[in-house]
Amino acid sequence: QNGVMSGLMQMLLLKVSAHITEQLGMAPGGEFREAFKEASKVPFCKFHLGDRPIPVTFKRAISALSFWQKVKLAWGLCFLSDPISKDDVEKCKQKDLLEQMMAEMIGEFPDLHRTIVSERDIYLTYMLKQAAKQIELPRASENEPRKYIPAVVVGVVGMGHVPGIEKNWNSDLKIQEIMSVPPPSASSKILKFIFKATVLGLLGYGCYRVGHRTVEYVLSIPATQTYLQRLSEMPRQ
């Protein structure tokens, strides 16, 4: 539904998620599931999924990468097998180490960092600010002055997004641009056509080989040869 490259990237990220789950005995995103459970215990609490839709993020990320960057990223995700311990997770909570890891990501995949992290920092900040707006109390009549109470908001976000949210909090944010999916480039269209043609060609060749061998096998059976010989000896009407 979301395109070949987006689908492949989601499959690779699911592989990474499974690897982390296997190593740690716990699935990524547990903090969000726990937040949902806690929110259900609070009377009149509204639960919002405040992150940008995954299809938009994936499509923008993929379109921002060059062909070789896509190959490099896919290769790294395919062969990700480094052991991960709970101590490693605790180390990632250290601000200095986290900033170092983010800097390495920026250096290797700057466009990926922009779409996966920086743009989502803006989106998350925008959604938090929308949720944090003051709540207007109901009025008995139109002549009664408006009264407001502050909203109480608990935002559960990944640690890597906290600096970006703090940076963007006092800015006038526009999310229309980061919600649009850029049209595919000419090179991506050509690669997509080549990929589809290659897959269809291999499928066609595979069907031909299987069909050819099947016919040869059927013709080699003595019963089939006898039947064909009888057909050839029958007088034409």
Side-chain angles (χ1 to χ4, degrees):
Q1 290 180 338
N2 298 322
V4 176
M5 290 301 300
S6 181
L8 290 174
M9 287 300 297
Q10 289 191 45
M11 289 172 61
L12 290 174
L13 289 175
L14 284 174
K15 176 182 179 295
V16 174
S17 176
H19 172 68
I20 296 172
T21 304
E22 182 182 2
Q23 293 285 316
L24 299 178
M26 54 189 293
E31 65 272 34
F32 304 117
R33 287 185 285 272
E34 194 64 29
F36 179 74
K37 291 179 184 177
E38 292 299 319
S40 64
K41 302 175 185 177
V42 181
F44 308 108
C45 178
K46 295 181 180 180
F47 184 84
H48 295 282
L49 296 173
D51 204 349
R52 186 170 63 176
I54 291 177
V56 176
T57 298
F58 273 149
K59 287 183 178 181
R60 286 187 63 85
I62 290 168
S63 64
L65 295 175
S66 66
F67 174 76
W68 294 113
Q69 284 179 321
K70 292 174 186 175
V71 172
K72 185 178 180 181
L73 180 63
W75 182 268
L77 293 176
C78 279
F79 296 96
L80 179 68
S81 58
D82 296 337
I84 305 171
S85 66
K86 291 185 179 180
D87 290 337
D88 295 330
V89 177
E90 292 300 320
K91 289 178 182 177
C92 289
K93 294 179 182 179
Q94 299 174 15
K95 186 177 180 181
D96 293 341
L97 182 59
L98 185 65
E99 289 178 353
Q100 180 184 344
M101 293 171 62
M102 298 296 284
E104 290 176 358
M105 182 182 178
I106 295 173
E108 194 166 3
F109 296 103
D111 294 323
L112 189 66
H113 179 274
R114 173 175 54 80
T115 53
I116 297 290
V117 180
S118 300
E119 289 183 358
R120 287 173 59 222
D121 288 345
I122 295 172
Y123 190 90
L124 289 167
T125 307
Y126 179 85
M127 295 300 288
L128 280 169
K129 290 181 73 172
Q130 292 297 311
K133 286 183 176 180
Q134 290 185 326
I135 302 171
E136 182 179 356
L137 295 175
R139 295 182 295 169
S141 64
E142 293 185 359
N143 297 327
E144 186 179 346
R146 298 177 184 271
K147 294 181 180 179
Y148 298 88
I149 59 171
V152 179
V153 180
V154 178
V156 182
V157 299
M159 286 185 65
H161 291 291
V162 174
I165 292 173
E166 292 176 347
K167 175 185 175 182
N168 292 306
W169 188 259
N170 294 319
S171 303
D172 183 20
L173 302 174
K174 308 289 184 182
I175 63 169
Q176 289 80 5
E177 183 181 348
I178 62 173
M179 289 300 294
S180 63
V181 179
S185 61
S187 60
S188 64
K189 289 181 180 179
I190 293 172
L191 287 173
K192 186 176 181 181
F193 173 78
I194 293 173
F195 178 79
K196 287 185 176 180
T198 302
V199 171
L200 291 174
L202 290 173
L203 285 174
Y205 180 72
C207 293
Y208 165 75
R209 293 293 297 175
V210 171
H212 184 68
R213 290 185 179 182
T214 303
V215 171
E216 286 183 344
Y217 173 74
V218 172
L219 292 177
S220 66
I221 299 174
T224 305
Q225 293 178 355
T226 302
Y227 179 73
L228 292 174
Q229 186 176 0
R230 288 180 180 178
L231 283 177
S232 63
E233 292 176 353
M234 290 178 62
R236 297 182 180 179
Q237 295 181 353

